[in-house]
Amino acid sequence: MKTNRPPRPATGAPRPAVRGPRPPARGLRPAVRGLSIGLLTLLFLAPFYLMLRNALMESAALTSPEWTWWPDVMRWENFTALFDDPALHMGQALGNSLLIAGITAPVSTLLASAAGYALARIEVPGRGVVLALVVATLMIPGSATFLPTFVVVGSMGGVNTLWGLIVPGLFNPFAVLLFRNFYLRLPREIEEAGRLDGLGRLGLYGRIALPTSGAMLASLGALSFIESWNAFLWPLVIGQDPSAWTAQIALSTFLTSQTINLPGLFAGAVVTIAPLVAMFLIAQRYIVEGIATSGLKG
């Protein structure tokens, strides 16, 4: 039985063009991308705008139900009052925060780098146990170790001292694991070449391993600086005397059960956040690069 089939096209004959959906206009993509970036930028800058606006306003205007985009009369004296108040100690508090963060960031990063290199390269019995203990410290909440740490530091006379504020924050197990994963990827051929040149274990670390981890050092150092600068609970407990206050503790004095000084609080927030913004703008590229090159394998 014959069926009526359409004739097949000859070999080499052009096939009819099949029209599909039209591609979207290329001119819309940059516009949508630019609009999205602009909206995200505005959302990012909104908190900074609100802090600066509130810092330049009066208390009555700040608590008024009527919204104003910018104060008619800018109260720059709100910033000078921060440092003129003898009970606030803002200048000394900023110096203490800068000193604590400036010591904690490089020292804790170098200790984590040395520990990570030892766990990655030095093959000694019990290395796996030490690594398991480092990982276990990440699973313990800070509230469980806060009281024992305070008892130890207090028994050693660390209350109202800068070393009592600094020493407990020098060990960072998360940074140790990141450095270990980074050094595991370091080619062993480079170390073999260093051994041929007469380098020992310390020389291999100081002259080969450490210089190659510059991005990791910068990124983790910046993150450690920010974490130390924003610390509140531990400085509040240890720094009981005003001479040991940090910037965050000085800011908390604007909120008491008797009075609330909102313009002073926002002015102090602007002054306190300025070093962190500068740190982030300088180290943002290293933060992304360092975390990306650390890896999650090991």
Side-chain angles (χ1 to χ4, degrees):
M1 181 177 181
K2 295 183 180 182
T3 57
N4 296 326
R5 295 181 180 179
R8 295 182 179 180
T11 305
R15 296 183 179 181
V18 179
R19 295 183 179 180
R22 294 182 178 180
R26 295 183 178 180
L28 294 178
R29 293 181 180 179
V32 173
R33 186 180 305 157
L35 181 61
S36 302
I37 294 175
L39 292 176
L40 292 177
T41 303
L42 290 177
L43 291 176
F44 175 79
L45 295 177
F48 299 98
Y49 153 72
L50 291 175
M51 282 193 299
L52 184 60
R53 165 190 171 272
N54 296 342
L56 297 174
M57 296 182 68
E58 297 179 345
S59 297
L62 186 57
T63 56
S64 174
E66 297 181 0
W67 173 262
T68 56
W69 289 100
W70 195 254
D72 298 331
V73 179
M74 293 182 289
R75 301 290 181 178
W76 295 103
E77 58 269 20
N78 293 338
F79 291 95
T80 59
L82 293 173
F83 302 94
D84 295 338
D85 190 355
L88 186 57
H89 306 279
M90 177 57 74
Q92 187 176 10
L94 288 173
N96 291 338
S97 293
L98 184 61
L99 180 62
I100 294 170
I103 295 176
T104 302
V107 174
S108 64
T109 305
L110 288 176
L111 289 177
S113 174
Y117 179 79
L119 291 174
R121 290 304 197 206
I122 302 178
E123 298 180 359
V124 294
R127 184 178 63 171
V129 177
V130 175
L131 178 61
L133 292 176
V134 173
V135 176
T137 58
L138 294 174
M139 305 178 185
I140 302 175
S143 57
T145 60
F146 186 87
L147 183 58
T149 305
F150 174 76
V151 172
V152 172
V153 174
S155 63
M156 299 175 64
V159 179
N160 293 325
T161 61
L162 290 178
W163 74 262
L165 294 167
I166 294 173
V167 172
L170 294 181
F171 179 70
N172 189 348
F174 178 71
V176 172
L177 293 179
L178 289 181
F179 274 111
R180 173 185 174 271
N181 293 337
F182 177 81
Y183 289 132
L184 283 175
R185 297 185 175 186
L186 185 66
R188 293 186 178 271
E189 292 79 7
I190 301 178
E191 293 184 335
E192 294 296 335
R195 288 192 180 95
L196 293 177
D197 291 338
L199 295 179
R201 182 63 67 181
L202 186 59
L204 292 174
Y205 168 71
R207 299 183 63 178
I208 295 179
L210 190 61
T212 60
S213 60
M216 286 284 295
L217 290 171
S219 61
L220 291 178
L223 293 177
S224 178
F225 184 93
I226 295 173
E227 181 181 3
S228 178
W229 184 274
N230 289 331
F232 179 78
L233 185 57
W234 181 254
L236 177 65
V237 175
I238 293 296
Q240 301 175 5
D241 189 79
S243 61
W245 282 0
T246 61
Q248 307 301 330
I249 306 303
L251 284 180
S252 65
T253 59
F254 288 103
L255 298 175
T256 63
S257 57
Q258 290 81 19
T259 59
I260 299 178
N261 185 1
L262 289 179
L265 177 62
F266 283 105
V270 172
V271 172
T272 304
I273 204 175
L276 298 184
V277 174
M279 173 65 68
F280 179 77
L281 292 178
I282 295 172
Q284 59 177 339
R285 180 171 63 89
Y286 299 102
I287 293 175
V288 176
E289 182 181 353
I291 299 300
T293 57
S294 64
L296 299 176
K297 296 174 62 177

